[in-house]
Amino acid sequence: MTGAREHDLPPDVDTPVVIAGAGPVGMALALELAMHRVKSVLVERNPETTTFPKMDLTNVRSMELMRRWGTLDDIRRAGVGEQYSFDVIFTSGLDGYEYGRWELPSQKEMRDTITAANDGSQPREPWQRISQERMEAVLMKRCLDSPFIDVRRPWAVVAVRQEADGAVTTIRSANGDEHQLRSTFVAGCDGAHSVVRRSTNIHLEGERSALGTSCQVHFRSRDVRTLHRFGQFWHIFMARPIGRVVIVAQDEEDTWTMQASVPAGTTVDEIDPVEFLRLHTNSAIEVDEILKHSVWQPQALVASSYRDRQIFVAGDAAHQYIPTGGYGMNTGVGDAVDLGWKLAAVINGWGGERLLDSYDAERRPVGVANRDRAVHNARVHSDAAQIVGADAHLLAQDNDAGEKLRARLTAHYADRRGENESFGTELGYGYPDSPVITTAADEDEIGTITAADPLVYTPTACPGARAPHVFLSPDNSIIDNFTDQFTLVNFGGDPRAVKDILAAAGDLGVPMKHVAIDHQSARELYRRDFAIVRPDGHVAWRSSHRPDSPADLVATVAGR
């Protein structure tokens, strides 16, 4: 990689970065650092990756980011096949009536739309249904194979102490042995009860137990005759007299997750999971195996800050969401890429302190916006419950009262789509308040934190925004150029400006490549002769003119 070097460690430092937690976000951060040739120690308390399905969607932006580490094809192979739909069905129970359906495209259908449009309005990659157990297995194999990632498991992070020039992390093995790791930085990707976060002054803000209590049952069943009564689905929601129920198809084989509300104070020992499944679905579903069942409370929380000196938080350590919309892990992957390239820039000697400051300035507003969007999506279902009120028993009845109530819910869900179609939210976010985004004299806009329409992505290459995708040839997107360094994109501007910017980058040791693009649609989309795009694919600057001071421009985007 031009301009980068492997970090030379001081004699009293074990590793540049300690990462606490080897879930998807921690592994994403380790892989991002490794792409920049920066070593990390990845500490995980569990001996193996998770054996439970957990999350079920990797969204379009995360799939774009997964391309950077060469994991995309493995994730596709491990996930649900491209032919299966993402349909969401609303019913009165597995033996009742269907009263709503969100027809969502399969991966193949989305890919066909992407190929046909090629106007910047689409993502580079379709979404992917994949359970967390399969996702983690793919990412862990890549981590274990990397010479830049030292995976320590089963070791738990039990304490973190900051010092003047770094941090000391105490880790403990399963048999009680303790070891101290000295590092320049520590990243807390260790979940909702993060030890790393609790070692700082960072606290969580938002709604806690007011969001109710749920029981979640992961199970295996091949009883598709019962489960597919209304056809193949991704999610099926059921309004039952005993409460709202949802089943998620984790794969198209035999693995499912059911969630249903339970009274506050309910413990897992009080629940027989098989009977719970049958009661809440009003069916005699055949269960082959209960993988796990648990009682939990949805949260809507965001950390007060994402940085405390040498310590950073990401993923569930930084934000915890209601699962409506699938923003949890996907927001965390964005955190990991943003933080990873910035830590690497500082460790490799060319990034400045303002790059580290920009992590909080950029990612925390996105964390807040995605939390609020998840709450909005949840209210679609809670408002439906208000419509039903005490009349849920009518939904399964073949009479006028049942038909009228079902019709009201049909209209409700038809008018309030968007839970898994918020492409404006997923692709249209920007970093308007970042200290490392800059504008030129001919700039007339800058990216906003969230898109004007959460459901519709309107492509823009203004500073701070995600650089939009357009195919330059059948399998070559403009955004494939944006990975491990800055990219000076040139749509035919003054060659002297190219020479001056690249020379300034060379003088400052900032890795920057030049990509000349002769593509009229791309030029119209980016609206300027030049754009500097960051390693994470966000536009740092654009203009049709030579900057007054190329050195100042490069220094700004590098955080110097």
Side-chain angles (χ1 to χ4, degrees):
M1 183 178 77
T2 305
R5 60 179 175 81
E6 185 176 339
H7 182 62
D8 297 321
L9 292 176
D12 60 341
V13 174
D14 299 306
T15 183
V17 184
V18 168
I19 303 170
V25 175
M27 287 189 281
L29 177 56
L31 290 168
E32 180 70 17
L33 290 168
M35 190 179 70
H36 298 279
R37 302 183 64 81
V38 170
K39 292 182 176 179
S40 64
V41 174
L42 182 60
V43 184
E44 170 56 44
R45 67 170 57 246
N46 296 306
E48 303 291 340
T49 54
T50 185
T51 57
F52 305 115
K54 298 184 181 180
M55 53 141 272
D56 56 297
L57 174 68
T58 303
N59 71 22
V60 294
R61 179 55 177 155
S62 292
M63 291 306 290
E64 288 182 345
L65 295 173
M66 294 286 178
R67 287 182 64 89
R68 5 182 354 99
W69 315 309
T71 58
L72 192 74
D73 290 343
D74 290 339
I75 289 169
R76 295 285 190 207
R77 282 190 291 269
V80 171
E82 66 173 8
Q83 71 273 30
Y84 292 105
S85 83
F86 283 64
D87 283 5
V88 177
I89 304 173
F90 301 92
T91 76
S92 61
L94 291 180
D95 66 336
Y97 289 89
E98 176 182 332
Y99 50 78
R101 183 180 294 250
W102 292 338
E103 293 183 344
L104 303 177
S106 68
Q107 181 198 137
K108 183 181 184 305
E109 290 169 332
M110 185 179 285
R111 189 179 298 281
D112 290 344
T113 299
I114 292 169
T115 302
N118 204 35
D119 58 1
S121 66
Q122 300 296 316
R124 170 65 171 92
E125 289 291 334
W127 50 15
Q128 177 66 56
R129 285 171 56 195
I130 182 170
S131 66
Q132 186 166 331
E133 63 174 324
R134 295 189 180 190
M135 170 71 80
E136 286 194 10
V138 170
L139 297 182
M140 180 55 75
K141 183 179 187 306
R142 188 58 61 106
C143 288
L144 291 170
D145 289 344
S146 173
F148 294 95
I149 304 172
D150 178 2
V151 179
R152 304 279 183 95
R153 58 179 184 174
W155 287 81
V157 171
V158 295
V160 182
R161 182 181 76 253
Q162 299 205 60
E163 297 185 340
D165 56 354
V168 177
T169 302
T170 302
I171 62 176
R172 181 180 298 152
S173 71
N175 62 13
D177 293 337
E178 289 194 356
H179 180 66
Q180 291 190 331
L181 294 169
R182 301 185 66 87
S183 62
T184 308
F185 302 108
V186 175
C189 305
D190 49 341
H193 304 291
S194 171
V195 172
V196 174
R197 187 188 66 240
R198 292 199 304 251
S199 74
T200 70
N201 293 319
I202 299 170
H203 60 276
L204 297 173
E205 301 173 340
E207 295 183 65
R208 294 181 182 268
S209 56
L211 298 170
T213 303
S214 296
C215 175
Q216 181 169 257
V217 181
H218 302 299
F219 66 101
R220 296 196 195 281
S221 173
R222 294 189 178 272
D223 186 7
V224 293
R225 181 176 180 179
T226 300
L227 288 159
H228 282 181
R229 156 82 188 282
F230 300 99
Q232 179 263 331
F233 63 85
W234 174 32
H235 293 165
I236 186 166
F237 286 89
M238 291 166 271
R240 301 273 295 116
I242 54 177
R244 185 173 65 90
V245 181
V246 60
I247 295 179
V248 179
Q250 297 285 357
D251 55 27
E252 292 297 332
E253 299 169 10
D254 65 352
T255 307
W256 318 80
T257 297
M258 191 202 80
Q259 295 184 32
S261 299
V262 295
T266 301
T267 66
V268 70
D269 294 336
E270 297 175 58
I271 296 172
D272 179 319
V274 174
E275 290 306 313
F276 190 81
L277 281 169
R278 292 172 175 167
L279 175 65
H280 283 74
T281 61
N282 200 32
S283 70
I285 183 172
E286 296 177 8
V287 178
D288 299 326
E289 180 184 5
I290 296 293
L291 299 174
K292 183 180 181 180
H293 70 294
S294 58
V295 173
W296 63 290
Q297 291 182 321
Q299 311 284 9
L301 304 169
V302 176
S304 56
S305 173
Y306 283 19
R307 181 190 183 192
D308 179 357
R309 294 174 292 163
Q310 306 302 96
I311 292 178
F312 302 82
V313 291
D316 284 355
H319 43 74
Q320 294 153 44
Y321 301 148
I322 306 169
T324 42
Y327 296 113
M329 186 277 294
N330 289 293
T331 306
V333 170
D335 298 340
V337 172
D338 189 286
L339 178 59
W341 81 263
K342 292 171 180 177
L343 289 177
V346 172
I347 290 164
N348 283 328
W350 58 266
E353 182 69 17
R354 286 193 306 158
L355 267 187
L356 302 183
D357 291 337
S358 73
Y359 172 62
D360 178 83
E362 292 181 0
R363 294 305 302 174
R364 187 176 184 278
V366 172
V368 171
N370 288 358
R371 175 197 65 190
D372 294 346
R373 189 65 194 168
V375 171
H376 169 88
N377 292 336
R379 286 187 179 131
V380 173
H381 302 291
S382 62
D383 289 350
Q386 292 296 316
I387 292 172
V388 172
D391 295 329
H393 63 285
L394 297 177
L395 289 172
Q397 294 183 7
D398 184 15
N399 54 34
D400 287 346
E403 288 181 6
K404 288 180 181 179
L405 185 55
R406 290 192 294 271
R408 290 184 65 193
L409 288 175
T410 299
H412 171 78
Y413 281 115
D415 291 342
R416 298 187 65 180
R417 293 178 63 120
E419 178 172 333
N420 300 109
E421 301 172 278
S422 298
F423 299 113
T425 298
E426 295 173 17
L427 297 172
Y429 63 92
Y431 301 140
D433 299 320
S434 173
V436 294
I437 298 294
T438 187
T439 56
D442 59 342
E443 185 55 67
D444 56 7
E445 59 178 322
I446 191 167
T448 57
I449 296 168
T450 57
D453 186 338
L455 303 188
V456 178
Y457 169 62
T458 302
T460 176
C462 66
R466 161 194 168 271
H469 147 75
V470 62
F471 283 116
L472 306 176
S473 62
D475 196 37
N476 175 31
S477 168
I478 189 172
I479 73 172
D480 294 342
N481 292 290
F482 313 142
T483 52
D484 60 353
Q485 56 189 300
F486 284 98
T487 303
L488 174 59
V489 184
N490 175 16
F491 293 102
D494 186 344
R496 293 172 297 179
V498 174
K499 179 180 177 181
D500 292 346
I501 293 172
L502 292 177
D507 291 343
L508 291 170
V510 175
M512 183 179 295
K513 65 182 178 182
H514 170 229
V515 175
I517 293 177
D518 182 12
H519 192 284
Q520 185 60 30
S521 296
R523 170 60 180 81
E524 293 172 358
L525 184 61
Y526 280 69
R527 293 182 51 197
R528 302 289 190 278
D529 289 343
F530 305 109
I532 293 177
V533 183
R534 311 186 320 183
D536 62 349
H538 281 259
V539 178
W541 168 90
R542 69 174 178 176
S543 179
S544 289
H545 306 290
R546 177 190 180 279
D548 292 336
S549 173
D552 287 348
L553 168 61
V554 174
T556 296
V557 300
R560 303 270 277 275

